Amino acid sequence: MKVLITAGPTREPLDPVRYLTNRSSGKMGYALAAAFADAGHHVLLVSGPTDIDIPPGIDFVPVETASEMHDAVRRHLFRMDAAIFAAAVADYRPATVAGEKIKKSGEELVLKLVRNPDILGEARDKMNFEGILVGFAAETENLEANARDKLKRKRCDLIVANDVSKPGIGFDSDRNELLLVFPEHTAALPEDEKHHLARHLVKEVELLAATRSGAFQAP
Ligand code: CTP
């Protein structure tokens, strides 16, 4: 299969020395890229800035902003069999980017933010993607209900949900605990290393692709 994976945070510049970003190490997305490549699939990793080494044997598109990630996904999605959106994309960006460093003045500074494109949300409708579509949901409450709602709204085949309020897993950790929300059922993956969870997710996506096509799709 040809698999596109988004990973890491995006950075939305405010001026030449400052940006807004999301908390994300990129570890889950990179673990997925490595696991798909190890299983013999062709991987295109579209990644915001992270400290992680690029896994060997994959195609890599580095991006900074949500708009750049959006452009990269729009360019490549049409030729993919599966797409996994693990990136923590900033939902908003500063309305204007100052050309020079913003100097302090006054006691308050009000920032105006504007919406970024919802890349996952556009995959089916605007980008006409018909392959296996997997989204992530980082939630602090009502994990399953919020994930199921996202699954329907964004017409995904699977939402990988995790509770980011649980201490010791998620964000900067090498470990995570996941809830896999499919249209017809839900499966819990107990706490494990992100690399092991990634291997499990590869199998789930292979199964979804096989079910979709009526036969197993070779790498
Ligand atoms: N995502 C994306 N583009 C965005 C924002 C999110 O592709 N601009 C993807 C993420 O990579 C992840 C999923 O969408 O796969 C997360 O969705 P989220 O923004 O949490 O979804 P919403 O349903 O819009 O949720 P919320 O109302 O909580 O913002």
Side-chain angles (χ1 to χ4, degrees):
M1 279 194 286
K2 296 191 203 66
V3 185
L4 181 149
I5 298 170
T6 70
T10 64
R11 278 182 187 170
E12 312 299 328
L14 199 54
D15 70 14
V17 296
R18 302 184 180 97
Y19 53 78
L20 302 178
T21 193
N22 271 345
R23 253 184 98 178
S24 165
S25 63
K27 283 178 181 171
M28 193 68 230
Y30 278 62
L32 279 166
F36 272 100
D38 285 349
H41 300 288
H42 298 277
V43 176
L44 175 70
L45 178 61
V46 178
S47 175
T50 76
D51 291 335
I52 312 173
D53 291 338
I54 302 167
I58 65 159
D59 292 326
F60 186 76
V61 178
V63 297
E64 288 252 332
T65 64
S67 296
E68 288 171 13
M69 186 172 277
H70 185 228
D71 286 346
V73 171
R74 273 198 301 195
R75 265 201 315 278
H76 296 284
L77 192 62
F78 74 95
R79 59 186 178 84
M80 297 291 155
D81 301 302
I84 299 167
F85 290 79
V89 184
D91 286 324
Y92 293 86
R93 66 179 182 278
T96 54
V97 182
E100 306 296 335
K101 184 182 169 193
I102 300 169
K103 291 297 194 186
K104 57 180 160 309
S105 66
E107 287 305 310
E108 286 185 2
L109 174 69
V110 178
L111 290 178
K112 183 172 176 190
L113 305 179
V114 293
R115 275 289 284 273
N116 272 329
D118 180 353
I119 309 170
L120 175 63
E122 287 189 9
R124 289 281 189 232
D125 294 335
K126 290 201 177 153
M127 301 186 210
N128 298 317
F129 181 60
E130 291 179 358
I132 302 302
L133 185 62
V134 180
F136 271 68
E139 304 287 348
T140 55
E141 56 179 2
N142 303 329
L143 188 60
E144 185 168 358
N146 284 334
R148 194 158 287 291
D149 176 58
K150 206 164 287 184
L151 180 86
K152 287 203 188 102
R153 274 191 291 122
K154 306 196 178 180
R155 296 170 53 207
C156 295
D157 296 290
L158 164 63
I159 290 284
V160 181
N162 67 316
D163 182 344
V164 288
S165 65
K166 283 202 179 175
I169 56 168
F171 288 139
D172 294 323
S173 168
D174 289 324
R175 303 178 72 76
N176 212 343
E177 179 186 311
L178 303 175
L179 196 65
L180 307 188
V181 178
F182 298 90
E184 308 295 337
H185 71 287
T186 301
L189 297 187
E191 189 188 322
D192 201 344
E193 286 183 19
K194 286 181 176 173
H195 281 283
H196 289 153
L197 293 167
R199 264 182 246 150
H200 191 107
L201 286 171
V202 169
K203 296 245 175 330
E204 296 288 356
V205 173
E206 286 174 344
L207 208 59
L208 284 168
T211 313
R212 173 82 61 90
S213 69
F216 183 72
Q217 268 182 294

